[in-house]
Amino acid sequence: MSAATDTTSGRDPVEVGDAHGSGDPGPDEEQTELAARLRLAVGRLHRRIRIDGRESVPPLQLSALVTVEQHGPLRLSELARREAVTAPTMSRVLAALDEQGLVVRTVDPQDARGVRITLSDKGAAVLAEVRSHRTALVARRLARLDAQQRAALRDALPALEALLVDEDD
């Protein structure tokens, strides 16, 4: 039965997907199905972690903090580019982070009109707290799995981590 006719599972056919319908999948179809299932599982798990985490820092602000931590000090324009948002949007994000004391703005030594953004001690503490809380959430979910399922995830980690590497890295 194709996903479009799956009315008993309660799953959204668009989310579940079926590459071409019925029959044994070929190599390309297997890869497409794997990609769809992985995308769905990772996306839903991420959403659950984000929802269950109930962080006080919104997602874009949290992402900006991580980017500043990893690549800082950064100018606003570079941070906006890395976060794929406009400079005005990033300016609002930074204003909120600055107001909370999570980032530090300093004069750019190469351009007195420019500002470099770094993570404050409070920003680093917030990131550590969020990471710890999210790790605990995932650990609780992992505890529901049997030993064989946890071993399968452990064995899959190198492949999953390889998916994080961009082609231009």
Side-chain angles (χ1 to χ4, degrees), residues 56-66 92-94 96-97 100 102:
S56 59
V57 180
L60 181 54
Q61 290 179 22
L62 201 54
S63 181
L65 285 176
V66 170
R92 288 188 295 275
V93 167
L94 286 175
L97 293 172
Q100 297 172 69
L102 303 179

Side-chain angles (χ1 to χ4, degrees), residues 54-116:
R54 296 181 206 92
E55 284 93 20
S56 59
V57 180
L60 181 54
Q61 290 179 22
L62 201 54
S63 181
L65 285 176
V66 170
T67 300
V68 169
E69 177 189 52
Q70 292 174 343
H71 303 285
L74 294 172
R75 295 181 63 129
L76 181 143
S77 58
E78 175 65 10
L79 183 56
R81 185 189 66 75
R82 287 181 179 273
E83 290 296 315
V85 297
T86 65
T89 296
M90 187 50 63
S91 182
R92 288 188 295 275
V93 167
L94 286 175
L97 293 172
D98 193 26
E99 186 177 301
Q100 297 172 69
L102 303 179
V103 294
V104 175
R105 295 177 190 233
T106 56
V107 175
D108 186 337
Q110 297 174 343
D111 180 0
R113 297 169 299 160
V115 174
R116 313 270 278 157

